Amino acid sequence: MTAQPQTLQRPARTDKGADLRPKRRITGPGVMRAYTWLIILWLILPIFVMILFGFNDTSGRYNQSWEGFTLKWYGRLFDIDDLTRGLITSLVVAVVSSLAAGALGTGIGYALGRYRFRGSGSVNLIMFATISSPELVMGASLLTFFVSLGVGLGVVTLTIAHIMFSISFVATVVRARVMTLDRSIEEAAADLGATAWTTFWKITFPIILPAVFSGVLLAFALSIDDFVVSNFTAGNAVTFPLWIWGATRVGIPPQVNVMGTLIFVAGVVIAVAFNIRSRRAQRD
Amino acid sequence: MTTTPQHLAGNGRTATGDHPAIRFDGVVKNYLAHGETVAAVKRTDMEIAQGEFFSLLGPSGCGKTTTMRMIAGFEEPTAGKVYLDGRDVTGVTPNRRDINMVFQSYALFPHLNVFQNVAFGLERKKVARDEIRRRVGEILEIVSLSGMDKRAPREMSGGQQQRVALARALVNRPRALLLDEPLGALDLKLRQQMQVELKRIQREVGITFVYVTHDQGEALTMSDRIAVMNAGVIEQLGSPREIYEKPASRFVAGFIGTSNIVDGHVERIEGGLALLNYSTQDRVVCPVPGAVRRGDKLEVSVRPEKIDLHRGVPPVTATGGSVLSGIVNEVVYHGTSTNYTVATAAGADFTVFDQNAANADDLADRGDRVYLTWAPQHSYLIGV
Amino acid sequence: MSASNIPDPSLVRGLSQRRLGRRDALRMSGLSALGMALAACGVQGKGTKAPASAAPDAVQQYWSDKKQNNLVRFANWPLYMDPKQPELKAFKAKTGINFTYKEVIQEMGSWFAKVQPQLSAGQDIGYDLMVITNSFQFSQFRDSGFLAPLDHAKLPNFAKFAGDAYKKEAFDPGNQYSIPWASGITGIAYDRTKTGRDITKLADLWDPKFKGKVGMMSDVQELGNFGLMAVGANPDKSSASDWEKAAKKLQDQKDAGIVRKYYDQGYIDALGSGEVWLTQAWSGDIYQKNLSEHRDLKFVIPEEGGTIWTDNMTIPITAKNPVDAITLMDFFYEVPNAASLAEYINYVCPVPNAQAEMRKEAAKLSGEDKTDLLALASSPLVFPAQAAYANLHYYVAFESVAEQQQFQKTFDPIVLG
Amino acid sequence: MSRLKRTIAPYLLVLPGGIWLIVFFAIPMITMLSLSLQEGDIVNGYTFTGHWQTYVDALDDYRTQLIRSLIYGAIATIILIALAFPMAYWIAFYGGRRKATYLFLVLLPFFVSFVLRTISWRQILTDDGPVLSPLKSAGLVPESFHILGTPTAVIFGLVYNFLPFMVLPIYVALERIDPRVVEAARDLYADPATAFRKVVFPLALPGVFAGVLMTFVPTSSDYVNSTVLGGTDTTMIGQVIQAQYLANSDYPTASALSFVLMAVLLIGVFAYAKVLGTEDVMKVAAR
């Protein structure tokens, strides 16, 4: 009997609470959540199409309409020599340019983050200019530069160009990390008898290494995906995107979809692994 | 830790004893900021003895950290010389000075574990591997971190990190250990624990500690001697008691603990005691040196806990001492004591700590008329 | 046409190669009715007497110190050879010459822009053999002195088996610098199911009924040719005023919203996907598209005429292995090799005997393979009937760089508008 | 000695990369300017004549394309802000522990080549493709209806390809906002809309500015989208420059157009950065 008033009260209260809460959920965040997912789906749709058509059982050069499922293109991945070579060129250029840009950019980023020096403003300015210049213009100016010098275009000029546009990105990432670096850690090393050289390699570098690494990864991604600058500076070298661009005139073979899929999967795996590693490191 | 490891205590170096551990000879440090020269440390001479627990105390920006960094070698003096153990080390880089430091932020190497952190200095000195393992184990025991050598710094509490920083410096058996506000990041309870701990460790290893802090309580608790710095100048250098009881300047008096400061002209001098009168019944009595003459203007300080507070009637007992009347402005209950702010007839507001002893019934209230009394020896003449 | 009978003064003075090209073009067009089958054209001799790099002893000079190095580096267009490279493998087996084959050429303009710096610096471009189209970049290559003169003593198969038409191309009389790789016809391709009727003439490309469904080419030469033919001008005889008229005609077509887009070779995809219903097209593409996707797209040479072009094998002047290159060039003119190549690329084969070869081969096969190969061998797009040539025109021949630039400036704004 | 070392250390560190940037970024720009003032042709070579007429002619011929590019870029940027903001907002404030996952999903397209993604859209949006085909069979749109070849398709492609560049900086700016600041605004009688307008949005502005910087320049100078998805009247200046360089070998015209494009964009960018402060924008951009 005594419980009765309680049971009468309770529904009334929860009703009131339910009235307030879900209403806000549905109108605001609920709609935005659906919206966000919609946009994400939109972003992923072309990737899905690309992956799907890597399994398309098309018979000829043209891979346009769905003709059934097959795995044969995975088996014949390296059938098109030039495509394979393009991919290899892309990988080699990306590795070399990301490492070189990693080294050069780390120097700049470290100096900017660590020291105050005359001319740092100009360095910042030129970095800002390279990051914000249209790729098209960078590629075009490099082309005119090489042509004026009478330098033949090829893998070397391509690599030079990729290093050029990657440096500033690496430097920016490294600078951000160095700026948040506790200076006293370096002093502690010096205090404990380490020379400047030892301090850098034993202490500073390992600490900024994740930043350097993500800078190098960024440079690698920029390089392997680059089309615009490469189009101007590759000369008769062919990279993966350049080959695809050239092949559009006669149709993209399914191998391109397969390679695109594999690059995508590899990229995602590396990124996820890197992310999990650094997150675990943070949590520990 | 009842026995001190031989090599940590003596090491045959501190025993030489002829030279002070650290000596500043006319050291000046100027910075160039926006084209202007700013003096961080004005001409300073000082000596820190072997095995001493020495504190540099002062507010932020007083130059204490710069002083310490000049000892460590992170800053070079603009003028003057720094001696370690009688050797001129001016211009010697930090990694070549036999001195180690505990940083305010601990500055532990985040990518190295406890063992690697502590072993870092020994590795630089190319100490044999076995020796390193032994000494690191030993020092970790001293700082009570045995068995934690595989931990990463970020897996440890603030107090533990602090101990690692300490061990990392101590393991090198430096001629002196510099500590830059090492307890600043710890909470109150832990800080108090660590103060005791630090003092214990210092006693055990017998190494000269130079301790930089802005916390006067900390400095008073641990130090053998304290240098109070202000605006690039050491205002007073002495034992904690000297500094507390006999502040050399108004700054020191105010910075160390709470001081009540009154000024007034000397009415008369009697048996080494000067009398400053504010009215017929309001007077301050202070011991003075012979040089003080009648009519001189004096600044007298008295600590709040030395003062007795009487409610209502003027006291008859305090005939030979100081008496000031006033009105209670503020009463703050502190548990062990009650703090009063009293507007006195001498013109200055006085702070009085009244111990909440057995007879806690004579509490004054806001607006009450009270009399403050204290013995002549508790008055201290500033700036003598 | 009659102009060809009057000695060109500049020719007498032994002036530019370009004039010779133009003169030859005129002659060629006069003979076009017979598909240039007539050999009675004395230009060759004159051609070799042409100045500069074409000096009579140029060939001798170039080749005298060249040796076989057992390597040839081949630069070609994408998908212009079976990816398995059977012909090259056969070549290696036969001669012992190693090869590298790269599909690095994607556009004449960009190819020229890419290798020009190296060639003008006298550097090796990394290739000994390259396939270039008879567009004005061909003249740029030749006029810049970037092409090695060919020693026809080393090209016996070419002499023997090349179709007569290919032995006297307007752009390279006497094949001084090039021999054809494959040839193609530019006509109209359409999807009968979409257009609902047969397309027969250029005027269909201007039909408002197909608004937004007509594809034209972005190559100004191809585009300009169709514009010229649409206004009734013969491209290789056209004048600057014809160009203006053609440009106007094309601009109208664009302004009326008839043109969907100016395509590079991407028109194939566009036609296949229904983006366009009818489009300017190259013959081999359509054949390959039908074969690979079982489509029934039509290709037609318009009543007003189509154009014929040739992709040519050339040796860059800086080639390291020219002897190996020229050996390979000749190899492709052996009938079985030519047939094998044509089977894959489906463009006009420069070796007429390949048709018989294919039929012979088909006889050995059975089933679908047989039908396919027979169909290919009978395709007028791979082996055009003589009559088809009657309707074919050549690219506009330019007398000077300035003229070429003027042509380009006339049509550029249409494509780049 | 050590002081000297400390003074020259930053220069030694900056030098290799700095020289690289000067030689392969700054000097080429100057070379391009020089070439734009030269006359000649690719076969016979170019000589410097200070021929300003090239600029006049180039702008005369391609003014439409330049202006069209800037307009497309601006439209794309505005759409990008509108699309990205709610998304970044939701991830920043309601993403909870999955924030990183959502951001990762936004970045997924970067793992596929830019060219390939754009071509993929071509395949999807084509006239008889999976999107339009059903609509046409259902009679919802006329048979000749198409998306490809229209300005809409080009701007669609630009928005698609550069969306992550807008979402990220806005997200970073929003993520930095202390939720208590918003609560404080609510506590001080602001309704949700007002709190957003007066507190959240102003604090997110640096992110929006950085996003604009990172999207307007590449979208208005892009030529891949207009080439792949565009039609006859969607030519952007990038296409013209590309064609003049890489197909026509008309270097002076191409250089002049590039220079004009860069000047227009960089002057805009620097003015913009000057007004907003480079540091702030760079900081957000660097994240």
Side-chain angles (χ1 to χ4, degrees):
Chain A
M1 268 315 196
T2 43
Q4 224 177 2
Q6 281 177 357
T7 46
L8 281 175
Q9 267 180 339
R10 241 182 227 155
R13 261 190 196 163
T14 42
D15 267 354
K16 207 175 178 185
D19 217 36
L20 279 172
R21 274 197 178 163
K23 202 176 164 191
R24 284 187 59 197
R25 285 252 166 89
I26 289 167
T27 50
V31 169
M32 274 159 67
R33 179 199 173 86
Y35 169 83
T36 302
W37 274 106
L38 211 65
I39 300 273
I40 287 175
L41 287 181
W42 178 57
L43 283 171
I44 301 177
L45 182 64
I47 304 174
F48 174 75
V49 170
M50 175 196 77
I51 295 174
L52 183 70
F53 276 79
F55 296 105
N56 187 16
D57 194 7
T58 175
S59 49
R61 295 173 185 160
Y62 308 100
N63 187 18
Q64 208 163 51
S65 43
W66 183 249
E67 319 227 343
F69 180 87
T70 180
L71 281 170
K72 69 179 173 188
W73 303 118
Y74 282 78
R76 284 149 70 173
L77 180 56
F78 300 116
D79 272 12
I80 304 172
D81 273 0
D82 284 307
L83 175 60
T84 311
R85 250 181 243 123
L87 186 66
I88 293 170
T89 307
S90 272
L91 288 170
V92 169
V93 170
V95 167
V96 172
S97 68
S98 61
L99 289 180
L104 299 176
T106 301
I108 295 180
Y110 184 74
L112 288 176
R114 173 76 159 69
Y115 301 96
R116 292 165 157 267
F117 57 99
R118 204 176 288 270
S120 60
S122 317
V123 179
N124 272 322
L125 188 76
I126 196 166
M127 271 170 56
F128 183 66
T130 54
I131 290 179
S132 52
S133 280
E135 267 193 285
L136 172 78
V137 176
M138 279 199 283
S141 64
L142 269 172
L143 174 67
T144 55
F145 177 65
F146 290 133
V147 166
S148 310
L149 285 186
V151 175
L153 302 170
V155 181
V156 175
T157 52
L158 181 67
T159 311
I160 285 174
H162 283 207
I163 294 171
M164 187 274 289
F165 69 63
S166 299
I167 286 178
S168 303
F169 286 95
V170 177
T172 313
V173 174
V174 172
R175 183 183 57 183
R177 178 69 189 94
V178 173
M179 274 175 164
T180 60
L181 188 70
D182 182 1
R183 284 287 306 278
S184 56
I185 289 179
E186 289 176 341
E187 290 185 348
D191 183 61
L192 293 167
T195 58
W197 182 251
T198 319
T199 304
F200 182 79
W201 286 113
K202 287 254 172 192
I203 303 300
T204 315
F205 190 69
I207 295 175
I208 64 170
L209 189 61
V212 174
F213 191 63
S214 46
V216 169
L217 268 190
L218 179 63
F220 186 90
L222 287 172
S223 165
I224 204 155
D225 188 32
D226 180 72
F227 170 72
V228 175
V229 173
S230 303
N231 197 22
F232 282 91
T233 52
N236 49 26
V238 177
T239 64
F240 182 61
L242 288 177
W243 193 90
I244 297 172
W245 186 257
T248 48
R249 62 199 286 274
V250 282
I252 306 284
Q255 278 92 341
V256 167
N257 295 56
V258 175
M259 280 183 188
T261 305
L262 295 180
I263 291 174
F264 173 73
V265 170
V268 168
V269 166
I270 290 170
V272 168
F274 182 64
N275 213 25
I276 288 175
R277 236 191 83 125
S278 60
R279 214 184 294 171
R280 187 175 297 155
Q282 260 168 26
R283 204 184 302 132
D284 289 348
Chain B
M1 275 288 120
T2 44
T3 56
T4 302
Q6 190 57 45
H7 59 271
L8 277 176
N11 205 19
R13 290 186 310 209
T14 46
T16 51
D18 313 344
H19 300 287
I22 296 157
R23 185 156 75 85
F24 268 38
D25 185 5
V27 169
V28 174
K29 179 68 186 178
N30 294 331
Y31 285 111
L32 213 67
H34 308 290
E36 274 180 64
T37 308
V38 179
V41 173
K42 292 179 188 143
R43 194 185 158 81
T44 297
D45 299 286
M46 65 168 183
E47 289 186 358
I48 299 172
Q50 302 283 357
E52 193 175 23
F53 198 121
F54 186 90
S55 290
L56 284 161
L57 176 66
S60 54
C62 71
K64 58 185 194 298
T65 298
T66 308
T67 304
M68 189 197 60
R69 290 170 65 83
M70 283 193 285
I71 301 173
F74 292 120
E75 310 283 353
E76 289 302 330
T78 313
K81 288 194 183 313
V82 177
Y83 296 88
L84 297 182
D85 236 3
R87 191 168 68 97
D88 180 4
V89 294
T90 319
V92 176
T93 52
N95 53 314
R96 302 177 60 201
R97 289 190 191 195
D98 226 349
I99 271 189
N100 290 115
M101 187 158 164
V102 175
F103 291 82
Q104 187 172 11
S105 60
Y106 314 142
L108 297 182
F109 307 132
H111 57 302
L112 304 180
N113 64 26
V114 169
F115 181 90
Q116 290 166 326
N117 261 282
V118 177
F120 189 88
L122 297 177
E123 280 168 2
R124 301 284 80 70
K125 288 202 228 165
K126 307 252 187 300
V127 175
R129 197 165 287 239
D130 289 352
E131 172 81 356
I132 291 179
R133 203 167 299 136
R134 198 173 56 72
R135 280 168 67 172
V136 171
E138 227 165 58
I139 199 73
L140 286 180
E141 199 170 318
I142 290 180
V143 298
S144 319
L145 285 176
S146 297
M148 293 202 159
D149 39 6
K150 289 285 177 291
R151 291 273 193 96
R154 61 174 169 274
E155 297 172 317
M156 310 183 88
S157 72
Q160 288 172 327
Q161 292 187 17
Q162 219 279 314
R163 286 159 200 260
V164 176
L166 196 60
R168 184 176 69 177
L170 281 176
V171 77
N172 305 297
R173 303 172 195 164
R175 270 160 213 259
L177 183 71
L178 311 178
L179 300 101
D180 184 7
E181 311 213 11
L183 308 181
L186 304 179
D187 62 48
L188 181 65
K189 200 94 186 227
L190 200 53
R191 191 154 65 217
Q192 284 165 347
Q193 268 177 26
M194 282 305 298
Q195 286 173 11
V196 177
E197 190 89 334
L198 266 180
K199 188 68 188 166
R200 173 183 67 79
I201 290 167
Q202 195 257 341
R203 253 198 326 271
E204 277 176 21
V205 299
I207 289 172
T208 310
F209 273 35
V210 179
Y211 194 97
V212 165
T213 183
H214 66 269
D215 181 334
Q216 33 112 2
E218 223 169 77
L220 293 176
T221 319
M222 297 190 287
S223 315
D224 295 326
R225 283 198 303 152
I226 299 173
V228 183
M229 288 192 76
N230 184 35
V233 171
I234 296 181
E235 296 228 346
Q236 189 173 6
L237 202 159
S239 71
R241 178 171 291 272
E242 278 168 4
I243 285 186
Y244 188 78
E245 304 279 344
K246 299 187 161 112
S249 66
R250 200 185 174 107
F251 170 79
V252 176
F255 189 73
I256 311 288
T258 311
S259 282
N260 297 301
I261 296 169
V262 290
D263 44 23
H265 296 277
V266 177
E267 187 97 353
R268 62 190 151 92
I269 297 173
E270 235 178 56
L273 294 178
L275 186 80
L276 294 81
N277 249 10
Y278 299 94
S279 75
T280 44
Q281 47 172 276
D282 293 303
R283 63 168 191 266
V284 169
V285 179
C286 178
V288 290
V292 176
R293 298 273 170 269
R294 191 173 173 268
D296 285 356
K297 192 170 188 245
L298 297 183
E299 271 189 325
V300 174
S301 93
V302 57
R303 295 288 177 183
E305 70 276 13
K306 311 281 189 189
I307 300 171
D308 286 327
L309 180 137
H310 310 268
R311 197 158 54 133
V313 282
V316 277
T317 46
T319 33
S322 309
V323 180
L324 286 176
S325 65
I327 306 287
V328 175
N329 267 346
E330 204 69 68
V331 181
V332 181
Y333 180 70
H334 268 276
T336 56
S337 68
T338 305
N339 296 2
Y340 297 92
T341 309
V342 180
T344 66
D349 278 4
F350 265 51
T351 303
V352 178
F353 299 162
D354 194 23
Q355 287 293 314
N356 293 331
N359 55 340
D361 51 327
D362 61 338
L363 287 172
D365 284 326
R366 253 175 68 100
D368 283 358
R369 182 158 195 88
V370 292
Y371 293 90
L372 310 177
T373 64
W374 65 92
Q377 69 269 26
H378 291 142
S379 294
Y380 182 72
L381 184 60
I382 290 176
V384 180
Chain C
M1 253 172 290
S2 59
S4 65
N5 300 327
I6 303 163
D8 186 324
S10 66
L11 191 68
V12 174
R13 287 198 304 273
L15 273 181
S16 84
Q17 184 61 41
R18 290 184 291 278
R19 284 194 182 278
L20 194 63
R22 169 124 175 104
R23 181 190 155 83
D24 193 45
L26 297 174
R27 187 169 298 250
M28 297 286 282
S29 67
L31 297 169
S32 66
L34 238 192
M36 299 116 313
L38 256 49
C41 169
V43 182
Q44 268 158 322
K46 281 179 188 170
T48 48
K49 273 180 213 140
S53 57
D57 58 342
V59 170
Q60 168 66 21
Q61 259 174 22
Y62 179 82
W63 291 96
S64 59
D65 60 341
K66 302 291 191 289
K67 297 190 299 284
Q68 181 170 323
N69 301 321
N70 289 331
L71 175 70
V72 58
R73 301 163 302 165
F74 192 174
N76 208 343
W77 299 64
L79 307 174
Y80 225 171
M81 184 185 281
D82 187 331
K84 294 189 194 74
Q85 304 164 350
E87 296 83 13
L88 289 174
K89 283 172 186 160
F91 175 68
K92 189 185 171 188
K94 185 185 171 198
T95 61
I97 296 174
N98 271 307
F99 62 87
T100 63
Y101 179 77
K102 295 195 182 179
E103 300 181 337
V104 286
I105 308 178
Q106 284 146 5
E107 253 181 323
M108 275 315 293
S110 64
W111 178 248
F112 181 76
K114 278 170 185 173
V115 296
Q116 187 272 340
Q118 279 171 312
L119 286 168
S120 58
Q123 293 168 1
D124 175 31
I125 62 166
Y127 298 102
D128 307 308
L129 181 56
M130 58 181 181
V131 172
I132 61 178
T133 310
N134 64 318
S135 54
F136 56 71
Q137 281 87 6
F138 185 94
S139 350
Q140 287 181 339
F141 269 113
R142 184 192 53 200
D143 298 346
S144 305
F146 292 165
L147 302 181
L150 299 182
D151 180 0
H152 279 266
K154 294 185 166 66
L155 293 167
N157 285 314
F158 172 75
K160 209 159 146 197
F161 297 115
D164 288 339
Y166 297 96
K167 288 183 179 166
K168 36 191 154 320
E169 299 271 22
F171 53 88
D172 185 20
N175 298 88
Q176 286 180 79
Y177 301 99
S178 72
I179 61 174
W181 165 260
S183 185
I185 296 161
T186 311
I188 302 173
Y190 63 101
D191 185 341
R192 178 70 171 72
T193 59
K194 302 272 186 188
T195 56
R197 67 165 202 243
D198 281 324
I199 300 301
T200 53
K201 51 193 189 300
L202 285 173
D204 290 324
L205 293 172
W206 271 259
D207 189 340
K209 239 186 80 187
F210 302 132
K211 189 175 170 190
K213 289 294 177 185
V214 170
M216 298 295 284
M217 286 186 176
S218 58
D219 182 316
V220 286
Q221 291 186 90
E222 294 285 13
L223 182 70
N225 287 342
F226 269 47
L228 285 164
M229 291 187 294
V231 296
N234 187 345
D236 57 20
K237 286 194 294 187
S238 60
S239 64
S241 66
D242 292 331
W243 302 346
E244 292 296 338
K245 262 187 270 171
K248 171 84 176 58
K249 178 90 176 163
L250 291 164
Q251 186 67 47
D252 290 346
Q253 182 195 26
K254 180 186 175 189
D255 291 344
I258 293 168
V259 181
R260 173 60 174 273
K261 189 175 173 176
Y262 296 97
Y263 291 96
D264 54 14
Q265 208 162 352
Y267 73 85
I268 315 165
D269 274 352
L271 185 64
S273 67
E275 185 176 311
V276 292
W277 296 347
L278 65 165
T279 176
Q280 251 192 305
W282 291 317
S283 53
D285 289 349
I286 304 310
Y287 189 83
Q288 173 70 14
K289 180 81 175 170
N290 285 339
L291 199 65
S292 70
E293 295 196 348
H294 311 291
R295 296 290 293 264
D296 191 22
L297 302 173
K298 309 280 189 198
F299 180 86
V300 62
I301 300 170
E303 284 167 9
E304 298 89 335
T307 48
I308 184 161
W309 46 266
T310 313
D311 279 347
N312 308 280
M313 293 183 273
T314 58
I315 299 174
I317 192 84
T318 57
K320 279 188 175 157
N321 314 301
V323 176
D324 309 76
I326 202 165
T327 312
L328 179 59
M329 284 161 78
D330 197 48
F331 176 80
F332 283 119
Y333 274 85
E334 287 179 21
V335 177
N337 304 330
S340 154
L341 203 60
E343 274 172 42
Y344 181 78
I345 61 174
N346 313 137
Y347 276 101
V348 179
C349 177
V351 179
N353 290 355
Q355 191 170 21
E357 175 76 14
M358 269 188 212
R359 288 191 171 126
K360 214 165 68 192
E361 227 179 287
K364 294 182 220 152
L365 299 168
S366 61
E368 204 178 321
D369 289 342
K370 181 174 183 171
T371 7
D372 281 354
L373 193 53
L374 277 177
L376 185 65
S378 336
S379 167
L381 298 181
V382 181
F383 300 100
Q386 293 290 7
Y389 282 104
N391 247 352
L392 297 179
H393 301 283
Y394 289 84
Y395 279 21
V396 179
F398 302 109
E399 296 201 16
S400 66
V401 179
E403 204 178 79
Q404 171 246 309
Q405 281 178 344
Q406 192 192 344
F407 180 86
Q408 203 168 328
K409 273 206 143 64
T410 311
F411 294 100
D412 256 352
I414 297 168
V415 179
L416 294 178
Chain D
M1 184 62 199
S2 89
R3 193 165 296 163
L4 176 68
K5 255 190 204 164
R6 224 172 289 170
T7 329
I8 62 167
Y11 296 103
L12 288 177
L13 285 165
V14 164
L15 210 61
I19 287 178
W20 199 280
L21 289 181
I22 287 168
V23 173
F24 298 115
F25 176 76
I27 293 177
M29 292 286 172
I30 297 163
T31 317
M32 193 174 76
L33 177 63
S34 155
L35 192 53
S36 70
L37 299 172
Q38 297 183 14
E39 276 181 288
D41 63 69
I42 189 74
V43 175
N44 301 309
Y46 301 99
T47 41
F48 189 88
T49 53
H51 190 70
W52 283 101
Q53 190 61 30
T54 308
Y55 279 84
V56 178
D57 291 346
L59 281 178
D60 211 36
D61 289 348
Y62 299 109
R63 195 194 312 111
T64 326
Q65 287 82 344
L66 180 63
I67 293 168
R68 182 187 291 144
S69 302
L70 296 174
I71 290 174
Y72 282 10
I75 293 175
T77 305
I78 290 165
I79 295 175
L80 278 167
I81 296 173
L83 278 184
F85 202 101
M87 188 178 185
Y89 184 88
W90 188 80
I91 297 175
F93 288 112
Y94 298 92
R97 280 192 296 155
R98 295 225 200 105
K99 271 181 195 175
T101 313
Y102 287 119
L103 286 183
F104 185 67
L105 289 173
V106 171
L107 289 176
L108 269 189
F110 286 154
F111 293 101
V112 174
S113 173
F114 174 47
V115 174
L116 206 47
R117 266 181 284 151
T118 313
I119 291 171
S120 197
W121 271 119
R122 196 183 157 75
Q123 199 167 352
I124 298 168
L125 294 180
T126 187
D127 295 22
D128 291 346
V131 175
L132 287 184
S133 203
L135 293 176
K136 282 182 185 174
S137 359
L140 291 173
V141 294
E143 187 63 20
S144 66
F145 178 82
H146 55 85
I147 298 172
L148 289 183
T150 61
T152 314
V154 177
I155 294 170
F156 174 93
L158 292 173
V159 169
Y160 172 79
N161 276 309
F162 293 94
L163 184 67
F165 290 110
M166 188 60 93
V167 174
L168 277 192
I170 296 180
Y171 166 80
V172 169
L174 285 170
E175 219 268 334
R176 277 201 214 148
I177 298 175
D178 184 346
R180 282 169 294 188
V181 172
V182 185
E183 284 171 6
R186 296 299 310 279
D187 183 55
L188 295 167
Y189 322 115
D191 58 56
T194 314
F196 178 82
R197 205 159 39 84
K198 293 278 182 189
V199 179
V200 177
F201 191 70
L203 286 172
L205 266 184
V208 177
F209 290 145
V212 169
L213 196 65
M214 290 168 78
T215 54
F216 179 68
V217 171
T219 49
S220 46
S221 63
D222 181 74
Y223 68 89
V224 173
N225 284 285
S226 54
T227 306
V228 175
L229 304 172
T232 51
D233 52 1
T234 60
T235 312
M236 291 173 71
I237 193 71
Q239 265 174 289
V240 177
I241 292 173
Q242 195 265 160
Q244 296 294 2
Y245 266 117
L246 298 180
N248 300 350
S249 292
D250 187 351
Y251 287 0
T253 302
S255 297
L257 286 172
S258 304
F259 204 78
V260 169
L261 175 66
M262 191 194 60
V264 169
L265 290 178
L266 275 197
I267 287 170
V269 162
F270 275 104
Y272 183 85
K274 193 95 194 161
V275 172
L276 301 165
T278 325
E279 277 305 309
D280 228 30
V281 174
M282 286 288 277
K283 227 179 274 162
V284 182
R287 285 293 172 114

